[in-house]
Amino acid sequence: MLTDIALDAMGSDKAPEPEIRGAIAACTHLPVRVHLVGPQDVLRRALSAHLNGQQLPIEIVHASEHIAMDEKAAHAVRAKKDSSMRVGLKLVREKRVAGFFTAGNTGAGMATAKMVLGALPGVDRPALAIVVPTLSGSPTILLDVGANVDCKPQNLEQFAVMGEMYARSVLKIARPRVGILSVGEEEGKGNDLTREAWALLKQLPINFIGNVEGRDIYNGSCDVIVCDGFVGNVALKTSEGLTRLVREMLKASLTTTVTAQVGALLSRKAFNAFKRRLDPSEYGGAPLLGVRGVCIIGHGSSNDRAVMNGIRVAAEFAQAGINDGIEREFSQRPVTETDQPSVDPNLPLQ
Amino acid sequence: MLTDIALDAMGSDKAPEPEIRGAIAACTHLPVRVHLVGPQDVLRRALSAHLNGQQLPIEIVHASEHIAMDEKAAHAVRAKKDSSMRVGLKLVREKRVAGFFTAGNTGAGMATAKMVLGALPGVDRPALAIVVPTLSGSPTILLDVGANVDCKPQNLEQFAVMGEMYARSVLKIARPRVGILSVGEEEGKGNDLTREAWALLKQLPINFIGNVEGRDIYNGSCDVIVCDGFVGNVALKTSEGLTRLVREMLKASLTTTVTAQVGALLSRKAFNAFKRRLDPSEYGGAPLLGVRGVCIIGHGSSNDRAVMNGIRVAAEFAQAGINDGIEREFSQRPVTETDQPSVDPNLPLQ
């Protein structure tokens, strides 16, 4: 049986090309049916040009508008009632598809998902999670990386529950180690938020290992790392900036001398292997955890491979039944009261 | 005329070897006199073995104790009254030397400097700054990266003044661009701290460019980036972790195939050039800004080159008269009232 996934065909920087090629790749390699959401005339033409007569389970769902990468999310979400994001997420709400993927404006994607799908019972603030490669080979989940600034300890507690569930269900880690991102490993270290969150997390029926530090994001010593959205976003963006610096420096170093140029040519294959391991397109985008439905948000620079992986992650997320698990988890324990969510739908992640 | 610099001979992971070789290199290449602080018998023997009869302006100052890398800073600072850090910083206070460098326990170094030297008038909380390489080729200063969690907006304002002064005086940037590390560029973006700090920074007579993001740390679009010590420490440690991951991945990729091995051999020179650019040992350690004296703190893994560069930075810092500049700056404007400093001397940076 095929899993139905809605795909925002107008999301990425080069849309709809990567989306159409990604949908074709996904339907070729994975047991999925893709619902391409966007302007039907444009999509129909482009799709038939690429399919070239081939029969694949791809359907087109019309949406007359789309939200640009540099649009202010709060305004766009309200104003564009027929955006490809909104139409795609409505398919999720109406259970016509099992999940949704977009490589578009992150702030708009989160805001639209919260508006169209709503939060799961017990979740005050949905969180955006990223899955990063580590030294140990096993990936680490970091959340929240973009949705919530100025969190309460209870938010970090909820992030821990949701992240742990994702690690178990999708990443198949039997007993995920959960830590709080802080500036020292001992219990007393950190700021008011992390100290109060510590007290809450150690009560949870999870494998809580205490505080971890920034370097632990990439060394594989912890499977799920929670932090407020401000700190998580800084860590994510700092990593993006440093990756770019490293790439440019290597390129510059390698073209300096003729010997180095020959060396670079010979080791290009190895470089490509390395790049693939660090490449976000292999990781298929960031899941938005805590909304009533499956929503995965990819990078604006997504290529067809990244789109295919985003579709794959959406399907795996849906099949793992994570949202049922999160709901069950929160219904079984006393809900800690927090204030009203104060999400910032303008927050640009990319 | 030689500049006198005190060097904690017992700081680094492999002390005193890197310190002794670094002191010799510094005295050979720079107009400095180095005061090696540590157990005199040990140092005398090691120094004479390395000097091999050569005459250099290196003096030994006895200190019977030293603080280990894994010791709790608060306790060690109180208990070890004759530590090499304390003795070295006393030389600064007594104006027998112009500055101090240690590659030891960062938390202990900061706490000892604050205790022995005290804060400059107008500075509520000294800040640890790092200087990082960027895409543009011009370095960026990020502060605070370790001393102060839970900052007030006024602390960020003071960090901006101190960082700007350092950029002008030591890095010779004529009109440094100063930004606040946040999660979006517009004024309203960020958390309560960054929004309130924005209002204060735009009143300052500096080239304030508003919010910057994590990726801007490494792209050279901003010269001085301020943030609270929690966020700065996460950014710094995340960078360290990612750099290590990249190094290991590259190594693994390059030894996978024989062709790649040949390539790696040929491009080794280029790699080394690249490594040097990213290498913290080239940047000579992190200045602690806002104390009454010059204190530079290096990484525990410092080699002799890093120690020499630390000594160089201490001498340049002293000659630039930054502390006089900071004092003048704060005396010329109304001091914004803040609460008592609540520094965390336990904070481990390395």
Side-chain angles (χ1 to χ4, degrees), chain B:
Chain B
M1 208 189 103
L2 301 180
T3 302
D4 288 89
I5 300 296
L7 170 64
D8 176 3
M10 304 306 288
S12 76
D13 297 338
K14 296 181 178 164
E17 276 299 307
E19 279 83 355
I20 286 174
R21 288 201 305 265
I24 291 174
C27 292
T28 307
H29 301 292
L30 306 168
V32 294
R33 180 184 297 111
V34 173
H35 302 247
L36 268 177
V37 186
Q40 58 187 4
D41 293 349
V42 175
L43 296 182
R44 196 169 293 140
R45 257 196 316 275
L47 184 61
S48 76
H50 277 89
L51 278 177
N52 210 2
Q54 195 184 358
Q55 293 295 319
L56 282 177
I58 300 181
E59 294 180 11
I60 290 172
V61 178
H62 182 62
S64 62
E65 300 174 296
H66 70 273
I67 299 174
M69 210 51 103
D70 54 359
E71 264 183 277
K72 294 214 176 180
H75 176 258
V77 168
R78 273 193 307 274
K80 294 188 168 170
K81 304 217 184 297
D82 198 39
S83 74
S84 51
M85 280 186 188
R86 195 144 158 182
V87 172
L89 283 158
K90 271 189 202 153
L91 295 178
V92 177
R93 190 180 62 194
E94 293 160 4
K95 303 207 185 302
R96 290 171 54 196
V97 299
F100 171 75
F101 175 76
T102 177
N105 184 317
T106 304
M110 293 191 297
T112 308
K114 282 179 224 166
M115 185 184 65
V116 173
L117 303 177
L120 285 170
V123 176
D124 291 299
R125 300 188 181 189
L128 195 65
I130 51 161
V131 178
V132 302
T134 73
L135 277 177
S136 75
S138 167
T140 287
I141 309 174
L142 176 68
L143 75 164
D144 174 61
V145 298
N148 309 288
V149 299
D150 291 321
C151 282
K152 306 272 182 229
Q154 291 81 0
N155 301 127
L156 265 59
E157 181 191 15
Q158 294 171 10
F159 298 167
V161 171
M162 298 192 292
E164 204 256 358
M165 187 75 66
Y166 191 85
R168 270 192 287 141
S169 312
V170 174
L171 303 179
K172 311 291 181 201
I173 300 170
R175 190 158 164 67
R177 295 156 298 177
V178 181
I180 299 171
L181 185 57
S182 188
V183 295
E185 287 177 5
E186 295 128 75
E187 181 168 353
K189 293 300 169 57
N191 55 21
D192 292 343
L193 175 67
T194 64
R195 276 190 294 267
E196 290 172 36
W198 180 298
L200 295 177
L201 265 71
K202 76 177 176 189
Q203 311 274 350
L204 292 176
I206 58 173
N207 183 12
F208 175 54
I209 61 167
N211 284 345
V212 299
E213 299 190 75
R215 75 185 77 172
D216 298 313
I217 297 172
Y218 294 103
N219 68 13
S221 64
C222 186
D223 303 301
V224 180
I225 301 179
V226 298
C227 59
D228 75 66
F230 186 96
V231 170
N233 192 270
V234 167
L236 170 66
K237 295 278 185 66
T238 300
S239 300
E240 285 180 16
L242 183 57
T243 303
R244 194 170 151 222
L245 176 70
V246 169
R247 196 174 55 224
E248 296 300 318
M249 278 185 171
L250 274 175
K251 209 189 283 177
S253 295
L254 284 170
T255 48
T256 310
T257 65
V258 176
T259 330
Q261 282 180 44
V262 176
L265 202 69
L266 290 174
S267 51
R268 191 192 297 166
K269 199 172 152 187
F271 273 118
N272 289 341
F274 152 72
K275 255 177 58 189
R276 270 201 297 281
R277 280 192 63 190
L278 253 195
D279 192 345
S281 66
E282 296 299 313
Y283 287 85
L288 183 62
L289 299 178
V291 289
R292 288 177 191 266
V294 172
C295 174
I296 310 290
I297 302 179
H299 205 279
S301 66
S302 291
N303 55 17
D304 43 345
R305 191 172 182 85
V307 171
M308 182 186 78
N309 277 314
I311 293 167
R312 178 181 52 75
V313 169
E316 287 173 359
F317 189 154
Q319 278 151 11
I322 294 179
N323 288 342
D324 293 343
I326 292 174
E327 217 171 313
R328 204 165 46 240
E329 190 67 38
F330 285 116
S331 70
Q332 283 168 359
R333 59 197 201 88
V335 175
T336 322
E337 287 292 324
T338 65
D339 59 351
Q340 282 303 301
S342 68
V343 291
D344 176 4
N346 282 315
L347 191 71
L349 182 72
Q350 50 200 12

Side-chain angles (χ1 to χ4, degrees), chain A residues 318-333:
Chain A
Q319 280 151 10
I322 294 180
N323 287 342
D324 293 343
I326 292 174
E327 217 171 313
R328 204 165 47 238
E329 189 67 37
F330 284 114
S331 69
Q332 282 169 359
R333 59 195 199 91

Side-chain angles (χ1 to χ4, degrees), chain A residues 17-23 25-26 301-310:
Chain A
E17 276 298 308
E19 279 83 354
I20 286 174
R21 288 200 307 263
S301 66
S302 290
N303 56 16
D304 45 344
R305 189 171 185 87
V307 170
M308 181 186 80
N309 277 314

Side-chain angles (χ1 to χ4, degrees), chain A residues 21-294:
Chain A
R21 288 200 307 263
I24 291 173
C27 292
T28 308
H29 298 110
L30 307 168
V32 294
R33 180 183 297 111
V34 173
H35 302 249
L36 266 177
V37 186
Q40 58 187 4
D41 293 348
V42 175
L43 296 183
R44 196 169 291 139
R45 257 196 316 276
L47 185 62
S48 76
H50 277 89
L51 279 176
N52 208 2
Q54 194 185 0
Q55 293 294 318
L56 283 176
I58 299 179
E59 294 181 12
I60 290 172
V61 179
H62 182 63
S64 62
E65 300 175 296
H66 71 272
I67 298 174
M69 209 52 99
D70 54 0
E71 265 183 277
K72 295 214 178 186
H75 176 258
V77 168
R78 275 193 306 273
K80 294 188 167 170
K81 302 213 185 300
D82 199 40
S83 74
S84 51
M85 281 189 188
R86 194 146 162 179
V87 172
L89 283 159
K90 273 191 201 152
L91 297 177
V92 177
R93 189 179 65 193
E94 293 160 3
K95 302 203 186 304
R96 290 171 55 197
V97 298
F100 171 74
F101 175 76
T102 177
N105 184 317
T106 305
M110 294 191 297
T112 307
K114 282 179 223 167
M115 185 183 67
V116 172
L117 303 177
L120 286 169
V123 176
D124 291 299
R125 300 188 183 187
L128 195 65
I130 51 161
V131 179
V132 301
T134 73
L135 277 178
S136 75
S138 167
T140 287
I141 308 175
L142 177 69
L143 74 165
D144 173 60
V145 298
N148 309 286
V149 297
D150 292 319
C151 283
K152 304 274 182 226
Q154 292 81 0
N155 300 128
L156 264 59
E157 181 190 15
Q158 294 171 11
F159 298 165
V161 170
M162 298 192 292
E164 203 257 358
M165 187 76 67
Y166 191 85
R168 270 193 286 141
S169 311
V170 174
L171 305 180
K172 310 291 180 200
I173 300 169
R175 188 155 166 68
R177 295 157 297 177
V178 181
I180 299 171
L181 185 57
S182 189
V183 294
E185 287 178 4
E186 294 127 73
E187 182 169 353
K189 295 298 169 59
N191 56 20
D192 292 344
L193 175 66
T194 64
R195 277 190 294 266
E196 290 173 35
W198 180 299
L200 296 177
L201 265 71
K202 75 176 176 189
Q203 312 273 352
L204 292 175
I206 59 173
N207 183 12
F208 175 53
I209 62 167
N211 284 344
V212 299
E213 299 190 76
R215 73 184 81 174
D216 298 313
I217 296 172
Y218 295 104
N219 69 12
S221 64
C222 185
D223 304 302
V224 180
I225 300 180
V226 298
C227 58
D228 74 65
F230 186 95
V231 170
N233 192 270
V234 167
L236 170 65
K237 296 278 184 67
T238 301
S239 299
E240 285 181 15
L242 182 56
T243 304
R244 196 173 150 221
L245 176 70
V246 168
R247 197 173 54 223
E248 296 300 318
M249 278 184 171
L250 274 175
K251 210 187 285 174
S253 295
L254 284 169
T255 48
T256 310
T257 65
V258 176
T259 331
Q261 282 181 44
V262 176
L265 203 69
L266 291 174
S267 51
R268 191 192 297 166
K269 199 173 155 187
F271 273 119
N272 288 342
F274 152 74
K275 255 178 57 189
R276 268 200 299 281
R277 280 192 64 193
L278 252 195
D279 192 345
S281 66
E282 296 297 313
Y283 287 86
L288 183 62
L289 299 177
V291 290
R292 289 177 190 266
V294 173

